[in-house]
Amino acid sequence: MSEAREKRVIGGVGKPVPKKDAPALLTGKPVYVADIAPKDCLCVKLLHSPHAHAMIEEIDVSRAEKMPGVACIVTYKDVPDVRFTQAGQTYPEFSPYDRLILDRHLRCVGDPVAIVAAETEKQALAAMKLIKVKYQVLPAILNAKEAMDHPTLIHPEENWRALVPSCGADNRRNLVACGEDAHGDVEAELAACDIVIDHEYSTQANQQCMMETFRAFTRMDYYGRLEIVSSTQVPFHVRRIIATALDIPKSRVRVVKPRIGGGFGAKQTAVCEQYPAIVTMKTGRPAMIIYTREESMTLSSPRHAMTMHVRLGAMKDGTIRAIDLHTLSNSGAYGEHGPTTVGLSGHKSIPLYTHNMKAFRFSWHTVYTNTMSAGAYRGYGATQGLFAVESAVNELAHRLNMDPAELRERNIVREGEVMPAYYGETAASCTIDRCIAHAKEMIGWEEKYPAKTLDNGHVRAVGMALAMQGSGISMLDVGGATIKLSDEGTYNLLVSAADMGTG
């Protein structure tokens, strides 16, 4: 082996390696979905419901079908009567199967009423205007606190189903999930505490705004398989979701994920892939859907709005002995990620204070409402719970007239401690004590806390909050990779993890 070749082969070990797609990205080569779509793709557009809750009484597409360039128009009469979930989640799927590709029962503003496929966008939009729909407007539930056991049912259909009974889903109560996790006698511990913080905290839905809106194109490959090229974080889940929605075997679906222009968790939900997929299945032609920015903001998968009631009990010396947290999560019109995001609101906040804790209780309800369906978003439910619990801890520090950093240092979980509030797992890797000390040093905490008045009269304040985070569902999700040594002495790494726009 020549000296130059030897350096090239071993140079990557322990040293930076240029990204394979960096030159293409820097030079603007075709790398995204719309760049690589076939030129003859049908343009797919959706007609959306203007009502928060309604039933389609009549739909007439006869005039629209005769418009120039129209290849097909699909309504609820033309899709499989098979419920599915758009959530990209590992088996067992916790989210209820509550969707059809198109449904006569419309559950939120923006729900798709019809799919229009034409040669051009202009033709598709012109045809859409000629679709006549008569709606029966139904009572809408817009407040999560009113949803459970409300006389109006958002999912009364008989073929609604929940695959994991332990999630506590019940469509006859507008429940996506409910449950409780507890350890010790919470009420007794709170009664014995010197101070109890008792407050309710609310977080609103937040929408994601990645640069590349939701989009996908579909076509039939040479083997008769449906090929889906999508801006997605979860290609393997998309394959299962679309196969279920179309009622075909997974072996007939192939999913390709090129580069994506941002995801943030939103693209862990198969928001749009089913619409061009059914057009291709019906016409045999390539089809592409590109959500407008308005559609991406109003018809996708924002963060779940949650209301959290926290009771936190402590002694006068700052020892936290009990936390009681109840979370009410608004899943919107469908249940995507509803059972799992709500779990993280407690399972990623309460365990931080395991060290002196004698008891905890975490209970939750996730409900259907007639609002846009929520989904995955950075932090995946943990952020909402952390806001509530950390706010309560800071209020406790204020009541005790204690430095919030010192209060946390007395109560935080230590490495090697068992965390009953985190599925009984052991904190095998935890240096949060060093993290607090280092953060205090970096920010100049001792000098600035709680606030400092500047020469110009402005006040600059500092605060503190903790978080714990991990990837996947504890004791369930796993990762795998294959490394092969090639015939030229390089390594090939095969891994099914998808980037979210960061590489």
Side-chain angles (χ1 to χ4, degrees), residues 110-162:
D111 244 1
V113 174
I115 305 168
V116 180
E119 300 295 338
T120 67
E121 180 180 24
K122 185 177 180 179
Q123 290 171 333
L125 293 174
M128 190 184 301
K129 293 178 181 178
L130 297 180
I131 298 175
K132 301 300 181 184
V133 187
K134 181 181 178 182
Y135 299 98
Q136 176 194 358
V137 179
L138 303 173
I141 306 170
L142 304 178
N143 188 329
K145 290 185 177 181
E146 300 172 358
M148 191 166 65
D149 297 323
H150 195 283
T152 295
L153 294 181
I154 295 174
H155 283 277
E157 60 270 15
E158 293 298 326
N159 60 351
W160 176 99
R161 61 194 179 106

Side-chain angles (χ1 to χ4, degrees), residues 299-326:
L299 310 170
S300 54
S301 54
R303 193 192 299 278
H304 289 77
M306 295 186 186
T307 298
M308 292 140 291
H309 182 195
V310 181
R311 293 193 298 162
L312 185 151
M315 308 308 290
K316 291 179 180 178
D317 64 356
T319 301
I320 296 175
R321 293 182 53 165
I323 297 178
D324 183 21
L325 169 65
H326 176 263

Side-chain angles (χ1 to χ4, degrees), residues 384-439:
Q384 294 95 309
L386 288 164
F387 162 70
V389 172
E390 290 301 295
S391 294
V393 171
N394 282 328
E395 290 184 44
L396 174 63
H398 181 72
R399 288 271 297 273
L400 293 171
N401 195 27
M402 181 182 290
D403 185 321
E406 180 186 347
L407 177 61
R408 287 174 169 84
E409 288 167 337
R410 292 189 182 195
N411 291 285
I412 53 173
V413 61
R414 266 67 166 180
E415 192 167 303
E417 290 184 340
V418 175
M419 299 177 289
Y422 192 70
Y423 316 103
E425 286 198 17
T426 300
S429 175
C430 179
T431 57
I432 199 167
D433 53 340
R434 287 158 52 191
C435 179
I436 291 174
H438 188 52

